Amino acid sequence: MLDICNIEPSTGTYKFPFVRHKDFFDGHSWASGGLLPQANGKGQESSSEAVNAYYGCYLYSEVSNMSNEHSLTMQLLLAMEVQATNVYWHMRDDSVYEHLFSMNRMVGNIGATDVTATTWFGNAVGYVHGINM
């Protein structure tokens, strides 16, 4: 958990970054935390992995009796990820991307400088929808 949501670095866990994957401007996470250069800058393919990662952090905060502030922070990280997924991956209309993407109602891979209707392992519509469910 400390690798993706180290919300209390002052407790001796300074070796881990604070929410390494989260981009607070865009509201979603980047795979590998945006640390590794890719052709499209940063990349994120699986919105479902990101949502479930932050959901896991929230659940951990609940069962480990973290303070209310920590639990609220986990809820915020999760809510941001869900909202960004609804905006950037789950297409309801043509308001964010061109019609090419909204035809399938799902985006596959988002990069810092581009967006695709494919995944790293194939371009079938089922792959694009499956990895983002």
Side-chain angles (χ1 to χ4, degrees):
M1 181 176 108
L2 292 176
D3 191 32
I4 62 170
C5 45
N6 181 24
I7 61 168
E8 196 173 19
S10 63
T11 61
T13 56
Y14 59 87
K15 294 179 183 176
F16 294 95
F18 174 72
V19 293
R20 173 174 66 99
H21 294 279
K22 181 66 79 181
D23 183 324
F24 285 93
F25 180 79
D26 291 330
H28 64 81
S29 299
W30 295 106
S32 75
L35 299 175
L36 305 173
Q38 298 176 350
N40 60 354
K42 304 174 201 176
Q44 174 68 321
E45 180 178 54
S46 178
S47 60
S48 61
E49 287 177 7
V51 167
N52 281 298
Y54 287 107
Y55 183 57
C57 290
Y58 164 69
L59 291 176
Y60 180 77
S61 74
E62 290 293 302
V63 300
S64 62
N65 296 319
M66 287 187 174
S67 68
N68 288 338
E69 292 83 13
H70 289 119
S71 184
L72 181 62
T73 301
M74 298 300 183
Q75 289 175 20
L76 175 63
L77 294 171
L78 174 60
M80 289 175 67
E81 203 69 41
V82 169
Q83 175 64 25
T85 296
N86 286 331
V87 170
Y88 297 116
W89 278 270
H90 298 183
M91 305 301 302
R92 288 171 172 60
D93 54 37
D94 293 343
S95 63
V96 176
Y97 304 114
E98 298 172 11
H99 182 65
L100 166 69
F101 300 105
S102 61
M103 286 184 337
N104 292 328
R105 299 290 183 226
M106 190 75 65
V107 168
N109 196 351
I110 292 179
T113 59
D114 68 359
V115 62
T116 69
T118 63
T119 68
W120 292 109
F121 49 87
N123 59 2
V125 174
Y127 294 163
V128 173
H129 281 261
I131 199 167
N132 289 297
M133 297 302 276

